[in-house]
Amino acid sequence: KQEVTQIPAALSVPEGENLVLNCSFTDSAIYNLQWFRQDPGKGLTSLLLIQSSQREQTSGRLNASLDKSSGRSTLYIAASQPGDSATYLCAVIGNKLVFGAGTILRVKS
Amino acid sequence: DTGVSQNPRHKITKRGQNVTFRCDPISEHNRLYWYRQTLGQGPEFLTYFQNEAQLEKSRLLSDRFSAERPKGSFSTLEIQRTEQGDSAMYLCASSSGGGGTGSEKLFFGSGTQLSVL
């Protein structure tokens, strides 16, 4: 059974800092991995999708990496802004989409 | 708006009542998923459709839960005889799956927040 763990559970940083969110998974037989953002009481917004054959994806200030063999992914956020405050969820897609519990990020102005 | 639409946004009901939620996926998407999310947790898979066919159901989907996608477009999720433990955010997602499941990006709706009193 696939299990997805996200560390840290919560993170508070001052504006402008670069930060890294971590995601680990137990079963490396995945098709892809997707990072989402969720604002309080809202649905999920897709940020980046990394196919299993890829090592990383970039979108603006976001960079996601994938090391399938070690069962790890990281989401790097450069020059964080207060508007980045949200919960960040990673999901691995094998036979089904399995989510981690998320990292709650707060960027202080 | 051409995103995934869910109605209602919020539903408050008394224990024992039946509730029904609706999801309208992105129009060209053939796959539709239902998830449930409780506070502080990631979403948990409930069921998924390819067109009108329900291809997989989670063990979380007890016999009080039923989902349909009659014409391969919108979907409904009904919960009968609601219990307080059913209180959660119910999320719908869609994708344009061409290959095996998992190869495509999922797009989520804003969810329906259910509170069972």
Side-chain angles (χ1 to χ4, degrees), chain A residues 6-57:
Chain A
Q6 290 188 245
I7 295 173
L11 182 62
S12 182
V13 300
E15 182 177 5
E17 269 204 10
N18 302 326
L19 58 100
V20 176
L21 308 181
N22 296 290
C23 173
S24 61
F25 47 96
T26 54
D27 185 351
S28 62
I30 65 171
Y31 290 111
N32 62 47
L33 183 146
Q34 200 166 351
W35 281 94
F36 293 88
R37 169 187 172 135
Q38 187 174 32
D39 293 289
K42 301 289 180 63
L44 281 68
T45 300
S46 179
L47 298 173
L48 291 164
L49 180 145
I50 311 176
Q51 301 287 353
S52 62
S53 58
Q54 297 175 320
R55 299 282 297 181
E56 64 180 299
Q57 281 287 323

Side-chain angles (χ1 to χ4, degrees), chain A residues 31-32 34 36 38 41-44 46 49 51 89 93-97 99-101, chain B residues 9 35 37 40-43 45 56 89 91 101-106 108-111:
Chain A
Y31 290 111
N32 62 47
Q34 200 166 351
F36 293 88
Q38 187 174 32
K42 301 289 180 63
L44 281 68
S46 179
L49 180 145
Q51 301 287 353
L89 294 150
I93 301 97
N95 291 327
K96 56 175 65 90
L97 191 69
F99 283 86
Chain B
R9 289 296 311 278
Y35 286 81
Q37 186 179 26
Q41 300 298 316
F45 171 79
E56 190 171 349
M89 172 80 85
L91 293 162
T101 57
S103 59
E104 71 278 10
K105 183 184 277 192
L106 266 68
F108 279 81
S110 297

